[in-house]
Amino acid sequence: MSTTGSVRHRLPAVGSGVDLPRHARLLSQVHDAVLSGRRPPAQPREIVGRSWSRLQADGVSPDSCEDVVLADCAEVEARRTRTALRAVLPELRSTLTQVAEDANFIVVIADSDGVVLWREGSRGLRKAADALGFMEGARWSESSVGTNSIGTALVEDSPVQLFSAEHYARSHRGWSCTGSPVHDPRSGEVLGVVDISGSAMSVHPTTVALVQTAVRLAEATLWQEHTINLEKLRGHASPVLGATAGPALVVDRHGWVADARGLAAPDRVSPPCPGTPLLVPGLGLCVPEPLGDGWLVRREGRPTTIGVELDLGESPRATVRGDTSWTRALSPRHAQILRVLTESGSAGIDAASLSVSLFGDRDHVVAVRAEISRLRKSLGPVLSTHPYRFADGVDVHVVG
């Protein structure tokens, strides 16, 4: 890649054969020009430009990013205890720690808030990181310390590699970093980020693959743990299902089906919530009942047809009808989303395509996911994800 042209490609931050000192000087010029409102000699990569734009829009200055917020020891221990990442520490350490020590890197594991929970690797580099406040307990979110491979990976929900002045804070220019989110394979929830950081001149394209391989191994371990827990729940629930009249199923707290009787159950339903009706194909609306570490889902009588009436006129609202009914007012944005979902039909639509429909580009995936999450909390189980669509068995009627 030429260091005098566009620097817009996504990953890795630099290609093979790049003159790193020269490229670092170019990025410093780009950084200073963009943040001062002048025309830069080249455009930042798209993921970097989005991050800088977010920070500028929020009034965050590069200098303020050097004031690191540290959690106390009690909070760090509490976060370590409750994060699911603790279960995959052995895999992450075996994959990354020895490599990091040999290659003069540090390995950092942060939670979904960007708080550093564990840090290992090169002793000399850990001392250099201490000088930045990049230590256990540090809040390394994008809003706190600017563009970085932990906080920006969380915002973008995507792997991020940064080199030199692509960092927002000037004090971070001597570093390169590569981070990738870890997802809970049961829920899709972002659990945190695995990061490898080192000196800027040690940046290498293969670091991206190394971090992503470690993340995939971690997620595979979490999935294996999930299947073991489903089997335990199945054994616990078997006598209850056997004594239950009519069709029923048992699901874990994420909605994964452990066992079912009397119906062809899907692999997963919406995560149960106490007292909230749950829509299950073949059963209709059911109120889940606690059962050990999971939920018993059943109904008596015939399945109920679920109907959704969407009034997308001047005062948009949605009415859901089944055994019970409820009406929710809709914001203009939510009305727009529901109109797109009706037009997409049973095939549904992914987050990037929905971003194009709503905003005219694919750069608002984070905003799309947040809006869908709020919409599902409002309307309940009539919406499905992966892709976004109305759930099977829901009859949708649009007026206005």
Side-chain angles (χ1 to χ4, degrees), residues 370-382:
E371 292 290 356
I372 288 287
S373 177
R374 286 190 281 269
L375 190 53
R376 294 187 77 209
K377 288 179 181 178
S378 174
L379 295 186
V382 300

PDB file of all heavy atoms in Angstrom, residues 370-382:
ATOM      1  N   ALA A 370     -29.175  -1.344  18.369  1.00  0.00           N
ATOM      2  CA  ALA A 370     -29.744  -0.718  19.556  1.00  0.00           C
ATOM      3  C   ALA A 370     -31.237  -0.455  19.369  1.00  0.00           C
ATOM      4  O   ALA A 370     -32.045  -0.691  20.289  1.00  0.00           O
ATOM      5  CB  ALA A 370     -29.008   0.584  19.856  1.00  0.00           C
ATOM      6  N   GLU A 371     -31.638   0.017  18.194  1.00  0.00           N
ATOM      7  CA  GLU A 371     -33.053   0.293  17.942  1.00  0.00           C
ATOM      8  C   GLU A 371     -33.874  -0.989  17.935  1.00  0.00           C
ATOM      9  O   GLU A 371     -34.984  -1.038  18.474  1.00  0.00           O
ATOM     10  CB  GLU A 371     -33.214   1.035  16.608  1.00  0.00           C
ATOM     11  CG  GLU A 371     -32.659   2.441  16.590  1.00  0.00           C
ATOM     12  CD  GLU A 371     -33.460   3.412  17.449  1.00  0.00           C
ATOM     13  OE1 GLU A 371     -34.496   3.014  17.998  1.00  0.00           O
ATOM     14  OE2 GLU A 371     -33.025   4.566  17.573  1.00  0.00           O
ATOM     15  N   ILE A 372     -33.332  -2.042  17.331  1.00  0.00           N
ATOM     16  CA  ILE A 372     -34.042  -3.319  17.313  1.00  0.00           C
ATOM     17  C   ILE A 372     -34.206  -3.861  18.730  1.00  0.00           C
ATOM     18  O   ILE A 372     -35.260  -4.389  19.102  1.00  0.00           O
ATOM     19  CB  ILE A 372     -33.302  -4.349  16.433  1.00  0.00           C
ATOM     20  CG1 ILE A 372     -33.456  -3.997  14.950  1.00  0.00           C
ATOM     21  CG2 ILE A 372     -33.824  -5.759  16.700  1.00  0.00           C
ATOM     22  CD1 ILE A 372     -34.826  -4.257  14.362  1.00  0.00           C
ATOM     23  N   SER A 373     -33.178  -3.726  19.550  1.00  0.00           N
ATOM     24  CA  SER A 373     -33.257  -4.187  20.939  1.00  0.00           C
ATOM     25  C   SER A 373     -34.369  -3.454  21.687  1.00  0.00           C
ATOM     26  O   SER A 373     -35.168  -4.077  22.407  1.00  0.00           O
ATOM     27  CB  SER A 373     -31.910  -3.969  21.632  1.00  0.00           C
ATOM     28  OG  SER A 373     -31.977  -4.346  22.990  1.00  0.00           O
ATOM     29  N   ARG A 374     -34.453  -2.132  21.507  1.00  0.00           N
ATOM     30  CA  ARG A 374     -35.518  -1.369  22.166  1.00  0.00           C
ATOM     31  C   ARG A 374     -36.889  -1.763  21.635  1.00  0.00           C
ATOM     32  O   ARG A 374     -37.867  -1.858  22.393  1.00  0.00           O
ATOM     33  CB  ARG A 374     -35.272   0.129  21.965  1.00  0.00           C
ATOM     34  CG  ARG A 374     -34.132   0.677  22.820  1.00  0.00           C
ATOM     35  CD  ARG A 374     -34.089   2.196  22.763  1.00  0.00           C
ATOM     36  NE  ARG A 374     -33.474   2.661  21.537  1.00  0.00           N
ATOM     37  CZ  ARG A 374     -32.177   2.921  21.396  1.00  0.00           C
ATOM     38  NH1 ARG A 374     -31.355   2.746  22.417  1.00  0.00           N
ATOM     39  NH2 ARG A 374     -31.694   3.357  20.259  1.00  0.00           N
ATOM     40  N   LEU A 375     -36.976  -2.012  20.337  1.00  0.00           N
ATOM     41  CA  LEU A 375     -38.250  -2.374  19.724  1.00  0.00           C
ATOM     42  C   LEU A 375     -38.731  -3.733  20.220  1.00  0.00           C
ATOM     43  O   LEU A 375     -39.925  -3.929  20.488  1.00  0.00           O
ATOM     44  CB  LEU A 375     -38.097  -2.375  18.204  1.00  0.00           C
ATOM     45  CG  LEU A 375     -39.364  -2.509  17.348  1.00  0.00           C
ATOM     46  CD1 LEU A 375     -40.398  -1.478  17.750  1.00  0.00           C
ATOM     47  CD2 LEU A 375     -38.993  -2.358  15.879  1.00  0.00           C
ATOM     48  N   ARG A 376     -37.812  -4.682  20.366  1.00  0.00           N
ATOM     49  CA  ARG A 376     -38.196  -6.011  20.858  1.00  0.00           C
ATOM     50  C   ARG A 376     -38.652  -5.956  22.310  1.00  0.00           C
ATOM     51  O   ARG A 376     -39.554  -6.684  22.717  1.00  0.00           O
ATOM     52  CB  ARG A 376     -37.031  -6.992  20.713  1.00  0.00           C
ATOM     53  CG  ARG A 376     -36.653  -7.292  19.269  1.00  0.00           C
ATOM     54  CD  ARG A 376     -35.627  -8.394  19.183  1.00  0.00           C
ATOM     55  NE  ARG A 376     -36.231  -9.692  19.394  1.00  0.00           N
ATOM     56  CZ  ARG A 376     -35.603 -10.735  19.912  1.00  0.00           C
ATOM     57  NH1 ARG A 376     -34.360 -10.597  20.332  1.00  0.00           N
ATOM     58  NH2 ARG A 376     -36.209 -11.879  20.045  1.00  0.00           N
ATOM     59  N   LYS A 377     -38.030  -5.086  23.115  1.00  0.00           N
ATOM     60  CA  LYS A 377     -38.471  -4.934  24.496  1.00  0.00           C
ATOM     61  C   LYS A 377     -39.880  -4.362  24.556  1.00  0.00           C
ATOM     62  O   LYS A 377     -40.662  -4.678  25.452  1.00  0.00           O
ATOM     63  CB  LYS A 377     -37.499  -4.027  25.261  1.00  0.00           C
ATOM     64  CG  LYS A 377     -36.158  -4.673  25.552  1.00  0.00           C
ATOM     65  CD  LYS A 377     -35.226  -3.714  26.282  1.00  0.00           C
ATOM     66  CE  LYS A 377     -33.871  -4.371  26.553  1.00  0.00           C
ATOM     67  NZ  LYS A 377     -32.928  -3.423  27.220  1.00  0.00           N
ATOM     68  N   SER A 378     -40.225  -3.517  23.590  1.00  0.00           N
ATOM     69  CA  SER A 378     -41.542  -2.898  23.561  1.00  0.00           C
ATOM     70  C   SER A 378     -42.621  -3.859  23.062  1.00  0.00           C
ATOM     71  O   SER A 378     -43.696  -3.964  23.658  1.00  0.00           O
ATOM     72  CB  SER A 378     -41.511  -1.650  22.676  1.00  0.00           C
ATOM     73  OG  SER A 378     -42.790  -1.096  22.516  1.00  0.00           O
ATOM     74  N   LEU A 379     -42.324  -4.585  21.985  1.00  0.00           N
ATOM     75  CA  LEU A 379     -43.339  -5.430  21.352  1.00  0.00           C
ATOM     76  C   LEU A 379     -43.325  -6.875  21.827  1.00  0.00           C
ATOM     77  O   LEU A 379     -44.251  -7.630  21.545  1.00  0.00           O
ATOM     78  CB  LEU A 379     -43.163  -5.398  19.832  1.00  0.00           C
ATOM     79  CG  LEU A 379     -43.402  -4.057  19.149  1.00  0.00           C
ATOM     80  CD1 LEU A 379     -43.336  -4.217  17.640  1.00  0.00           C
ATOM     81  CD2 LEU A 379     -44.741  -3.460  19.557  1.00  0.00           C
ATOM     82  N   GLY A 380     -42.278  -7.272  22.511  1.00  0.00           N
ATOM     83  CA  GLY A 380     -42.239  -8.647  22.999  1.00  0.00           C
ATOM     84  C   GLY A 380     -41.760  -9.620  21.943  1.00  0.00           C
ATOM     85  O   GLY A 380     -40.909  -9.289  21.105  1.00  0.00           O
ATOM     86  N   PRO A 381     -42.343 -10.830  21.924  1.00  0.00           N
ATOM     87  CA  PRO A 381     -41.748 -11.926  21.154  1.00  0.00           C
ATOM     88  C   PRO A 381     -42.158 -12.000  19.691  1.00  0.00           C
ATOM     89  O   PRO A 381     -41.908 -12.998  19.055  1.00  0.00           O
ATOM     90  CB  PRO A 381     -42.290 -13.156  21.904  1.00  0.00           C
ATOM     91  CG  PRO A 381     -43.635 -12.717  22.390  1.00  0.00           C
ATOM     92  CD  PRO A 381     -43.499 -11.259  22.725  1.00  0.00           C
ATOM     93  N   VAL A 382     -42.765 -10.952  19.146  1.00  0.00           N
ATOM     94  CA  VAL A 382     -43.228 -11.055  17.762  1.00  0.00           C
ATOM     95  C   VAL A 382     -42.107 -10.812  16.754  1.00  0.00           C
ATOM     96  O   VAL A 382     -42.285 -11.059  15.568  1.00  0.00           O
ATOM     97  CB  VAL A 382     -44.399 -10.079  17.490  1.00  0.00           C
ATOM     98  CG1 VAL A 382     -45.570 -10.381  18.413  1.00  0.00           C
ATOM     99  CG2 VAL A 382     -43.957  -8.632  17.638  1.00  0.00           C
TER     100      VAL A 382
END
